[in-house]
Amino acid sequence: MNIVLMGPPGAGKGTQAEVMARKLFVPHISTGDIFRANIKAGTELGQLANQYISKGDLVPDEVTMGMIKDRLAEEDCANGFILDGLPRTIVQADALAAVLEEQGKKLDKVVNIDVPIEKLIERLSGRRVCRNCSQTYHLQNNPPTEAGRCDECGGELYQRADDSEETIKNRLDVYLAQSSPLIEYYEAKGLLLSIDGDQSINNVLADVGRGLGQNW
Ligand code: ADP
Ligand code: ADP
Ligand code: ZN
């Protein structure tokens, strides 16, 4: 199944995508994770992307699309993928459709996780991420067993620089201006599955499963 996961920053895309990927046996492709891995490794792409990410702005479309085109061409995407964090603009959505067509693929569903904007600040400011494996936690909503340590790999948990209150505000503005129109875009294409993200992680997962016709 070829799936796009959408929703505002902090909606729970990464959290859901991790589990969905395991259940569907397809890779979880997070544009944010790929950028952060490049930033950590000090690549040219990482240095360029960081100029935008640190401010909460979008990385330019041509950079992002080049990166995702290569990723989707990899062999592990042959039987499906969960794309988390792209498209974020209508231009990217059109470009994605063209990339997929070139590769003989098409989207099966676009899952939109809907969370009221005022809840997102709390989710983002409490988010903690594993430096080693990118597993995501929340100080209150989804804490690790041992404070500051990843349950999966024992790695150190850190707070993303762009999860500071200043940058969060800009990211939410960018979402409303540039990304939220994608909801209507995919609705018009008959691909949209809208999920109430303002419930527990497990209930969101159950709704996604039902919507995708999966029995999980
Ligand atoms: P996104 O990838 O959409 O930015 P994340 O999956 O990283 O969102 O989730 C943002 C934060 O909210 C994380 O700290 C995560 O643990 C927490 N979270 C995710 N889903 C829920 C939920 N359904 N209820 C409460 N907190 C959640
Ligand atoms: P979140 O899960 O909180 O929405 P992500 O990890 O998906 O955040 O993205 C972090 C940052 O990476 C974004 O704020 C943006 O700067 C950049 N980014 C991620 N995906 C894209 C994209 N499709 N287009 C442009 N920039 C992107
Ligand atoms: Zn870890």
Side-chain angles (χ1 to χ4, degrees), residues 8-9 55-58 88 117 120-121 124 165-181:
K55 298 192 208 112
D57 291 331
L58 294 183
R88 266 172 149 95
I117 294 288
L120 296 170
I121 298 179
L124 289 167
E165 203 134 331
E166 264 296 299
T167 317
I168 288 173
K169 287 210 179 82
N170 187 43
R171 287 161 64 206
L172 294 177
D173 286 346
V174 168
Y175 169 80
L176 289 173
Q178 302 203 51
S179 309
S180 64

Side-chain angles (χ1 to χ4, degrees), residues 130-135 137 150-157:
C130 176
R131 251 187 222 293
N132 182 46
C133 75
S134 307
Q135 178 72 35
Y137 298 87
C150 176
D151 289 351
E152 302 293 323
C153 76
E156 181 204 3
L157 303 187

Side-chain angles (χ1 to χ4, degrees), residues 8-15 123 127 136-138 141-142 199-201:
K13 300 181 294 295
T15 301
R123 285 204 187 175
R127 172 159 65 186
T136 299
Y137 298 87
H138 190 280
N141 306 342
N142 188 22
Q199 38 176 354
S200 74
I201 292 174

